[in-house]
Structure formats: structure tokens, C-alpha cells
Amino acid sequence: MWLFHHYPQPIRQQHSHTRRHPSPPHSHTRHPTSVTLPPSTTNHLIQTLCKKGHLKQAIKALTQEPNPTQRTYELLIHTCALANSLSDGVTVNKRLMDDGFDTDSFLATKLIDMYSELGFIEYARKVFDGLSNRTIYVWNAFFQALTLAGCGLDVFGLFCEMNANGVKPDRFTYTYVLKACVASDSEVSLLAKGKEIHAHILRHGFEVNVHVMTTLVDMYARFGSVLEAGYVFDGMPAKNVVSWSAMIACYAKNGRAYEALQLFGEMMVEVDDLTPNSVTMVSVLQACGALAALEQGKLLHAYILRRGLDSVLPVIASLITMYARCGNLEVGKRVFDQMRKRDVVSWNALISSYGMHGFGEQAIEIYNEMLRNKIKPSPITFVSILGACSHAGLVDEGKRLFDSITKEHNMRPTVEHYACMVDLLGRANRLDEAAKIVQDMRMEPGPKVWGSLLGSCRIHCNVELAERASKRLFKLEPTNAGNYVLLAEVYAAAHLWDEVLRVKKLLQNQGLEKKSGCSWIEVKKKVYSFASVDEFNPHIEQLHAFLLQLSMEMKEQGYRPETKVVLYDVEEEEKERILLGHSEKLAVAFGLINSSRGETIRITKNLRLCEDCHSVTKFVSKFANREILVRDVNRIHHFKDGVCSCGDYW
DNA sequence: TTAGGGTTAG
């Protein structure tokens, strides 16, 4: 029994000779519930101690009880899990096996749950392996345990074995097996497995079960298969608030914020007796934030207050982030200030809000206040605060905070933290130091780290390092078009047009495409979107004419188009024409035409803001005397009087 | 005995 190697010898010897009723070989006949024995007061005592959470005393009492019942063991196991005590759990496990409960599938289920909760999947595996009569409960518990432990891949073989053994999957089995597809640490994508399970579900008539089908929607959502998720959702015979929320979350998480809001609207208007709850709100707020749809967001805020959902911490964290992403940092701060209770997520939300607005020093102040409030930082806290330092160019502060992860907080920096450091140093044009961090990392630098390095090379036009980083990235993420585009931009800036063409070919050969630019603007509570190549847009001619006129006026004032960002080796004039078609310029023009003076123009872009759009927007903010907020993938740019809040550092 | 959707970052 390797399982018990590290633990004290079982206590059986102490009580075996005190046992008044010698045990028959099989446990069940000896069970006090199945033989008529007077109810044991010790059993009762153990159970009471467990219910009150006095685990140590309960374990002690166990040594006095010769015939613990199944119920006693059940409570003991549960209490060990609650008390997070592996050693006690193992003691109980050992004792119940000695007592002949080793064939008890009910207790086996409980043991598997316990080991899973304690994070010891190998112990759970031992229990599972040692049991011959595996009921559906046992299989389900083990599937769930494997999934939680990130061993999703193991589930499929066992699922086949279970079917081969004639045990029929039930609605719970399917939810666990579907979850196993997404919760696998393995490199292989398990989408294909998920589709197989989908077929299995249909063959066995489970397409009527709301839980199973909702899990299926969620599985497709997590693989980014929005269409499949939609098919499943649309085909569901009955949907409840969870199904709707899952589909809304699917859109919100997969860059389809507009559809998320639409679906939410449909849910509110068309479906009776269905009330969105706090979970729904979180996804909808996310979608508003993604679109910078401030007016929609405010309506949701009012709704949250009416429904009394403002005491739900995740809702408030999403609300703070929504306001910040919509450019309204002050309101977000006010929401935070009014919270009666705050958790680390609330603080993280505020820190990252200040970070995305470029207020690095204030973000650090908030972080220090959080520590003074005795809130323990989470790994995400450090991502947020390092990101804030990066946006504000606070290199030394960032380095100090990074060191504090190990020195002051006894935590280990993750790949994400290293990626933040590479970004921080790289943006600040300290590429050598950034490269050294990558070299000295104690773990494998993943795509995020190399991606940060490549991004910095793009800003500072470092061809050699960009080639090194992209070589690794092309291996790690062969289908991420963004990496090819970044490298091409580095080459274009260096006028290495042959190389630009070579990278473009590489992209084409794999059937990949450059993600096209897209911008959104909210005007009078409606969201309008613009694409860079957008001949179908009804406003396009008007906008082009407007921009052409604007560009001429700006040129008189000293504007020079930043043609280096154009990835085509064409005449300057053509490059200027291409630049004028950028989606954010269309959105700015649309905003100027369709909103009244004094109104802030809020725009969102799906990519990083290009240098030319940045300088044009600065000009516009001055000449049209308008405040313009542009949120790109990285941060918020607040243009006013010809200046941007990022200080041209982004 | 067991169940489905969410929070903060990049």
C-alpha cells in the first residue's frame, strides 16, 4: 500500500483486540445498520464531532469505536476534506479498508471526492483502481476528479472502458466528460473528442437535458467555436437562464460583444419568466466594456441597482472594469469607493483600470493601499500592477515589484509575470535587458513572452531580435497571424520589402489572413462599426470625403502622414490613401459628424492604434476642439488639445 | 451521493 507510506501506522491494532463482535470476512454483514445492534453512542459522538468540525476529536473517538457505520465514515471523510487534512483523510481511508468497507462503492465515491478536493489525484486514482464494483457514481466522481486535476485526457479512455463494461452514462457523466475536453493540460486540442461526445449525447437521447446541452454550449464556447455553440443553443428544446448566460458569455469571450448585447436584449424582451442574474450581468458588462458602449453600460448599472445585484462582488468588479474601459475611470473609482466589502478581485479591477489609463503611479498607490488593508495579492494583481508600470514607463518600480513577488510575497512569478517584465523593458527600449530576462528565465518562455519581445521589437524596429523571437513564435503558434504581421511590420519599417513579401507569403501559404482593423463607436446609445476595407458601409463616401478634406487642412497645419506603417511597397500617395481608410479614422469622422459639440467621442479598436491614426487624432482633438477617447487592444488613449494621455508611449 | 453559465490581466 504505497498510498500510506508517509503516514503513521494505522490505529487498527489499538482497537482490534477491544472489539466485542469479531468481524466476519465481508464488511456488509458486519455493518451495524445491517445487523441488529444497539445504536452505538460512539458512532453518534463521532458524527456529532464531525458535524461541528472537530476533526481531531472525531478521529480520536474513532479509535474507541469498534464498528463505525457507513454514515460515520461518510461524515469523517467529508470533515477531512473540509479541514484540508490529507493525513487524517488517509487515516480514515486506511481504517475503513481494514474494516472491510473496501468494496463499499458509496464510500469510494466519497473518498475520490475528498482526495480530489485535497488536490491528490493519484490517491483518488488508487481508490478508483482498487474498486471492482464501480457504480455510475464512482465513475462520475472519478471523471470529475480527473478533470479538476487537469487530466482531462485520461477521461476518454475510461469513458470507453465504462461503456464497454456496460455501465450507461447518465446526464452527470456527460457534463463531466465535456468539461474534461476543455480542462486538459495536454497540448492536444480535444475539440474533436468533444464532438464525439456530442454525437454520443445525441445517440443516447440526452439532447433534452438542459444541463448537458448547456455544458455543450460552454464547451464549444471555450474552443472558440462560436457557430457550433450557436447551433446547439438554437436547437435546445428548453433553455433557462444558465443556457442564455452561457451563450451570452460565449459571444462576450470570443470577441463578439455586439452579438452578446443583442442576445441579452432578446432575452430581456422576448423570453418571459426569465430573469437575468448576476452571472448574466457579468458577461453583459464585459461586452459593454469591449464595445466601450457607455450608455448601455449605464443602463445596466441602473438595472443592477434595481435588482439588488450590487452586493455581488464579481458584478461590481465587472462594473468597475466596464466604466474604465469605456473611458470613465472616475465613475469606476466611485463604484469602488462605495463598496462595503472588497476582495482581491475588486482591487485588481481598480489597479488595472488605472493601469490602462496610463496612471501608473496611482495604480501603485492603490496597490499599496490594498496591502495596508491586509488583502493578499493574487498572481493577477501582479499582472495588473506590472502592466500599469509598463503603460506608464515606470521601469524601476516595475522591477522592484517583480522582485517583491518572491522576496516579500513568497510567490513564484509565472510566465505571465515574465511576459509583463519583457513588455515593460521592451517598450522602454531596453531590449537587451528584455532579451536577457527571456534567456535567464527558469521556465520555458511561452508564446506570451516571445510575443511581448516581438511587440517591443516592432515599436523600436529591431530586426535582428524580431527575427529571433518570431522564429520561436512561428514554432509555438504556427497559426497566429498576428506574429507574422508584427515581423512584416518590422521589415517594412526597415524598408526590407523582399522580406515583407516573404513573410506575407508564409502567411498566405498557411491559409492565414492579417486580422483586419475594425473600430466601433457608440452614438446615441447605438453602436456603429467600421472596417478598414468597408465598401458596403452606407456612410463610406461621406466619410472618405470628410477625411480627405480634413487631411488637406491638417497638412497645412504641419501634419505629415506616417506612411511607414503601410505594409505595401507602393507610391507615397497610395500609402496616404490607404492610411485614410483606417477604421479608427472612419469612426472619428463618423463621431465628429454625428455627435454634438462638447460630447466626448469614444472609439474602440480591435488592434493596436497605428502611429498615423494616433497623430491624426491628436490633430483632430485640437482643431475640432473635441475630447476623443480611443481604446485599442492595449490601453486607453485620451486625446485633448492635441495631446494624448499616453504621452506617445504605447 | 454528483450538475450547467461569471469576476480581475494580457
Side-chain angles (χ1 to χ4, degrees):
Chain A
M1 288 292 282
W2 66 272
L3 191 56
F4 307 113
H5 273 167
H6 312 293
Y7 294 95
Q9 278 306 298
I11 39 189
R12 189 180 178 277
Q13 280 77 12
Q14 299 162 19
H15 62 76
S16 57
H17 53 88
T18 60
R19 188 174 277 160
R20 277 166 296 153
H21 310 282
S23 349
H26 294 294
S27 60
H28 297 297
T29 49
R30 203 188 47 192
H31 221 269
T33 46
S34 48
V35 279
T36 30
L37 280 175
S40 142
T41 49
T42 317
N43 265 310
H44 186 71
L45 174 69
I46 298 171
Q47 292 180 18
T48 313
L49 287 168
C50 284
K51 282 178 196 158
K52 294 200 168 160
H54 303 309
L55 178 62
K56 293 289 169 204
Q57 286 166 271
I59 299 267
K60 206 170 165 207
L62 179 67
T63 63
Q64 315 293 318
E65 171 55 59
N67 293 305
T69 62
Q70 191 193 44
R71 174 71 181 149
T72 298
Y73 276 124
E74 184 198 351
L75 284 169
L76 276 165
I77 293 166
H78 182 64
T79 313
C80 290
L82 283 183
N84 201 19
S85 172
L86 179 69
S87 55
D88 290 321
V90 170
T91 303
V92 173
N93 186 354
K94 178 82 184 82
R95 170 75 200 273
L96 74 84
M97 290 182 80
D98 289 342
D99 274 354
F101 280 105
D102 51 336
T103 55
D104 187 312
S105 60
F106 173 81
L107 289 182
T109 306
K110 297 291 159 198
L111 283 169
I112 290 170
D113 285 345
M114 177 192 76
Y115 285 132
S116 165
E117 271 173 54
L118 294 172
F120 286 80
I121 184 63
E122 288 315 315
Y123 287 37
R125 199 188 293 275
K126 213 73 197 167
V127 174
F128 179 82
D129 287 344
L131 192 77
S132 50
N133 57 327
R134 296 171 184 155
T135 60
I136 188 65
Y137 293 109
V138 176
W139 287 98
N140 288 349
F142 193 46
F143 289 160
Q144 190 186 32
L146 286 170
T147 302
L148 278 174
C151 313
L153 204 56
D154 296 0
V155 171
F156 301 99
L158 286 168
F159 180 70
C160 294
E161 194 185 320
M162 185 184 104
N163 282 291
N165 288 353
V167 180
K168 283 212 170 0
D170 65 6
R171 55 198 197 277
F172 298 100
T173 320
Y174 286 117
T175 59
Y176 297 138
V177 178
L178 287 172
K179 280 200 164 291
C181 301
V182 276
S184 167
D185 287 347
S186 82
E187 300 283 307
V188 216
S189 164
L190 295 177
L191 177 59
K193 285 281 175 209
K195 288 185 174 172
E196 277 177 44
I197 304 298
H198 186 174
H200 210 280
I201 288 166
L202 299 184
R203 279 202 305 276
H204 292 80
F206 280 93
E207 72 272 24
V208 292
N209 184 278
V210 189
H211 280 98
V212 172
M213 296 317 269
T214 304
T215 315
L216 199 51
V217 169
D218 184 56
M219 182 206 75
Y220 282 122
R222 283 172 203 268
F223 281 115
S225 309
V226 181
L227 269 180
E228 276 93 342
Y231 287 141
V232 176
F233 179 75
D234 289 339
M236 284 174 72
K239 305 180 187 97
N240 59 20
V241 62
V242 182
S243 333
W244 282 86
S245 304
M247 194 61 219
I248 291 170
C250 170
Y251 284 133
K253 281 249 149 71
N254 287 292
R256 310 280 281 270
Y258 195 78
E259 283 95 330
L261 290 188
Q262 268 183 328
L263 193 66
F264 175 68
E266 205 180 302
M267 176 184 179
M268 293 287 273
V269 175
E270 291 175 24
V271 191
D272 294 335
D273 62 275
L274 207 60
T275 319
N277 59 21
S278 61
V279 181
T280 327
M281 298 321 294
V282 167
S283 293
V284 185
L285 285 168
Q286 248 177 3
C288 284
L291 294 170
L294 181 63
E295 293 307 317
Q296 295 264 358
K298 282 182 185 165
L299 291 175
L300 284 170
H301 190 175
Y303 182 76
I304 287 163
L305 294 174
R306 269 206 309 281
R307 289 278 316 282
L309 297 172
D310 55 325
S311 56
V312 184
L313 290 177
V315 172
I316 300 302
S318 319
L319 197 58
I320 294 167
T321 306
M322 184 277 292
Y323 276 119
R325 288 173 72 86
C326 289
N328 225 330
L329 183 62
E330 301 76 26
V331 181
K333 174 70 165 57
R334 218 179 303 145
V335 171
F336 177 87
D337 287 340
Q338 286 166 357
M339 293 175 81
R340 269 162 286 161
K341 215 179 94 193
R342 303 180 185 110
D343 62 358
V344 67
V345 178
S346 336
W347 287 92
N348 292 350
L350 194 68
I351 291 169
S352 59
S353 296
Y354 275 77
M356 74 175 92
H357 279 264
F359 299 127
E361 270 140 21
Q362 284 98 318
I364 295 176
E365 245 167 63
I366 296 164
Y367 168 73
N368 287 329
E369 201 187 327
M370 177 185 119
L371 296 184
R372 282 196 293 277
N373 277 274
K374 303 265 181 281
I375 303 279
K376 191 177 151 32
S378 70
I380 290 178
T381 312
F382 292 110
V383 177
S384 312
I385 193 71
L386 293 174
C389 290
S390 182
H391 291 314
L394 302 173
V395 180
D396 294 333
E397 289 83 347
K399 281 167 105 173
R400 193 180 50 74
L401 285 160
F402 180 80
D403 287 340
S404 80
I405 299 177
T406 27
K407 289 185 186 144
E408 287 167 39
H409 301 284
N410 254 333
M411 292 160 75
R412 268 184 207 193
T414 65
V415 177
E416 272 88 0
H417 299 131
Y418 281 105
C420 288
M421 285 312 284
V422 170
D423 185 71
L424 174 76
L425 293 161
R427 257 180 222 281
N429 205 5
R430 289 159 76 160
L431 286 167
D432 292 344
E433 279 178 73
K436 188 155 183 347
I437 290 236
V438 181
Q439 207 185 339
D440 296 347
M441 279 174 67
R442 289 220 190 114
M443 58 191 82
E444 198 54 47
K448 280 174 193 167
V449 174
W450 290 114
S452 291
L453 196 59
L454 181 59
S456 304
C457 293
R458 144 85 183 67
I459 298 170
H460 300 293
C461 304
N462 185 322
V463 176
E464 190 235 319
L465 199 54
E467 284 177 337
R468 229 166 73 198
S470 53
K471 206 171 162 189
R472 305 297 290 265
L473 277 167
F474 294 162
K475 273 205 179 125
L476 289 166
E477 306 181 309
T479 58
N480 184 342
N483 298 328
Y484 298 87
V485 176
L486 280 173
L487 182 62
E489 285 175 345
V490 175
Y491 284 137
H495 297 283
L496 297 168
W497 297 108
D498 289 344
E499 294 300 312
V500 174
L501 277 177
R502 188 181 59 83
V503 178
K504 280 189 176 173
K505 278 246 166 64
L506 222 56
L507 196 65
Q508 277 170 3
N509 289 347
Q510 300 192 70
L512 299 171
E513 269 181 14
K514 179 180 187 291
K515 197 172 178 184
S516 56
C518 192
S519 301
W520 296 266
I521 184 170
E522 189 189 48
V523 174
K524 298 184 179 69
K525 295 183 188 168
K526 265 189 86 175
V527 177
Y528 298 84
S529 70
F530 300 89
S532 291
V533 190
D534 204 350
E535 64 260 43
F536 299 118
N537 192 302
H539 313 283
I540 201 74
E541 279 184 22
Q542 183 196 21
L543 296 177
H544 274 313
F546 184 91
L547 284 168
L548 207 58
Q549 177 68 32
L550 187 74
S551 132
M552 285 195 296
E553 284 172 23
M554 286 195 312
K555 276 184 180 167
E556 281 171 21
Q557 306 283 339
Y559 157 71
R560 293 286 164 269
E562 297 271 2
T563 47
K564 69 165 191 187
V565 304
V566 177
L567 284 187
Y568 301 94
D569 187 16
V570 291
E571 294 300 316
E572 283 297 298
E573 206 173 304
E574 176 62 8
K575 285 187 181 177
E576 287 183 28
R577 205 190 59 80
I578 294 170
L579 285 177
L580 273 190
H582 277 185
S583 65
E584 56 266 55
K585 292 199 192 77
L586 298 176
V588 168
F590 186 84
L592 284 173
I593 296 169
N594 292 289
S595 65
S596 31
R597 278 185 183 283
E599 237 180 288
T600 302
I601 294 174
R602 295 163 199 280
I603 290 164
T604 319
K605 181 163 199 238
N606 66 339
L607 303 170
R608 179 184 180 272
L609 202 53
C610 88
E611 279 83 352
D612 187 63
C613 287
H614 196 265
S615 66
V616 165
T617 316
K618 283 202 290 189
F619 261 91
V620 171
S621 73
K622 188 168 181 191
F623 294 122
N625 192 20
R626 278 295 190 101
E627 276 188 50
I628 303 170
L629 280 167
V630 181
R631 200 192 68 226
D632 69 1
V633 268
N634 290 324
R635 59 169 297 150
I636 287 185
H637 300 261
H638 196 150
F639 298 92
K640 197 181 169 187
D641 300 330
V643 183
C644 178
S645 62
C646 77
D648 302 339
Y649 184 84
W650 84 101

